[in-house]
Amino acid sequence: MRQVMIKGELRQQTGKGAARRMRARGRVPAVVYGKDEPTTIISLDEREFERAMQTGLGGGTLIKLVLSKDSNDPDQVEKTAILKEVQSDVVRGDIIHVDFQAISLDEAITTKVPVVLLGEESRPSDGGIIQHMMWELEVHALPMDIPERVEVDVSKMEIGDSIKVGDLELPEDVQVNTDEDEVIVLITVPELPVEEEEEEAEELEVAHEEAAEDHVHDGGHGTE
């Protein structure tokens, strides 16, 4: 499991007004919650967190939160966590709130890890279309045993082939919660463009009309 460090500041003020003032200073409100421990209210530097998001903070990433009262505080609190939710403004796209789940390294957790396809360029040139049906896989394991991502090789797949969850080969210590019959990827026949479908339909219609005309010219009956 990949690990990253994110710095944050402990905060005391809550509410919409405090959150607005915080965002105006370029900071994002966040919380850290966990089993058998009180929720910790923190804030994050918006730009630093966005950069961390770009590198990937999904279920396959372990986060070390380093928290202090402010940037000059030498006393720091560290928490091990995973990212649970990022709320963004639907119009501007700005991050408005972040949820972390504090975890213990010796206690199994349930999370989702990304599913990545490999070998797409090496697949046979049969005109088939790769349909990536599942982008995340839910797993249950100790934090350090959780893979950063699940890789699926499609290089030898042909039209009509599919790979399901039950076909994956994962470490024994990793339990998959997703149904084994769920399809991850399949190769399908390309659909004809609408124009070609219309042309085929017109050609078929013309053929029927010509056959009907021939039938009329023949008197509508066979040779006596």
Side-chain angles (χ1 to χ4, degrees):
M1 193 175 194
R2 190 170 71 95
Q3 299 184 62
V4 299
M5 183 184 74
I6 295 179
K7 293 183 178 180
E9 294 182 4
L10 299 166
R11 60 187 176 99
Q12 302 297 326
Q13 296 181 334
T14 59
K16 294 183 178 179
R20 281 195 297 268
R21 291 191 295 271
M22 194 178 304
R23 296 190 193 100
R25 293 191 295 112
R27 300 198 66 81
V28 179
V31 296
V32 187
Y33 59 86
K35 182 180 178 181
D36 301 326
E37 67 174 76
T39 298
T40 302
I41 305 173
I42 65 173
S43 70
L44 310 169
D45 181 276
E46 184 176 15
R47 290 185 179 179
E48 289 184 4
F49 183 71
E50 286 179 345
R51 284 197 292 269
M53 284 283 292
Q54 292 173 358
T55 65
L57 293 178
T61 302
L62 198 62
I63 301 170
K64 178 181 179 182
L65 291 171
V66 181
L67 310 174
S68 57
K69 292 181 180 179
D70 56 57
S71 57
N72 299 318
D73 184 13
D75 296 327
Q76 298 177 331
V77 177
E78 295 185 0
K79 289 182 177 290
T80 302
I82 57 174
L83 182 66
K84 292 301 290 184
E85 184 180 10
V86 177
Q87 299 176 23
S88 301
D89 186 284
V90 294
V91 177
R92 298 189 300 272
D94 300 335
I95 299 173
I96 57 178
H97 197 273
V98 181
D99 288 7
F100 296 98
Q101 178 185 345
I103 61 173
S104 172
L105 293 180
D106 58 4
E107 184 174 340
I109 61 172
T110 297
T111 188
K112 293 182 179 180
V113 296
V115 176
V116 179
L117 304 186
L118 302 179
E120 295 182 62
E121 297 179 356
S122 303
R123 209 186 62 74
S125 302
D126 55 7
I129 303 298
I130 299 175
Q131 299 283 352
H132 192 171
M133 309 297 292
M134 183 179 297
W135 294 82
E136 290 183 321
L137 187 70
E138 186 174 279
V139 299
H140 182 78
L142 291 172
M144 297 307 296
D145 292 335
I146 293 175
E148 179 181 344
R149 62 183 189 174
V150 174
E151 298 178 345
V152 179
D153 185 5
V154 301
S155 62
K156 297 181 180 179
M157 295 182 68
E158 300 178 353
I159 290 178
D161 290 346
S162 66
I163 295 178
K164 299 180 179 180
V165 172
D167 299 324
L168 298 175
E169 295 183 4
L170 296 174
E172 294 182 0
D173 296 332
V174 178
Q175 173 187 324
V176 179
N177 290 349
T178 307
D179 191 298
E180 63 178 14
D181 290 328
E182 290 286 335
V183 176
I184 297 174
V185 58
L186 72 158
I187 310 298
T188 61
V189 178
E191 295 183 1
L192 289 174
V194 175
E195 292 182 359
E196 291 187 20
E197 290 183 353
E198 292 177 348
E199 289 178 2
E200 286 192 359
E202 290 177 358
E203 291 175 358
L204 186 62
E205 185 177 348
V206 169
H208 284 312
E209 290 177 353
E210 291 177 349
E213 290 178 359
D214 291 342
H215 183 72
V216 171
H217 291 158
D218 290 340
H221 49 75
T223 303
E224 294 181 0

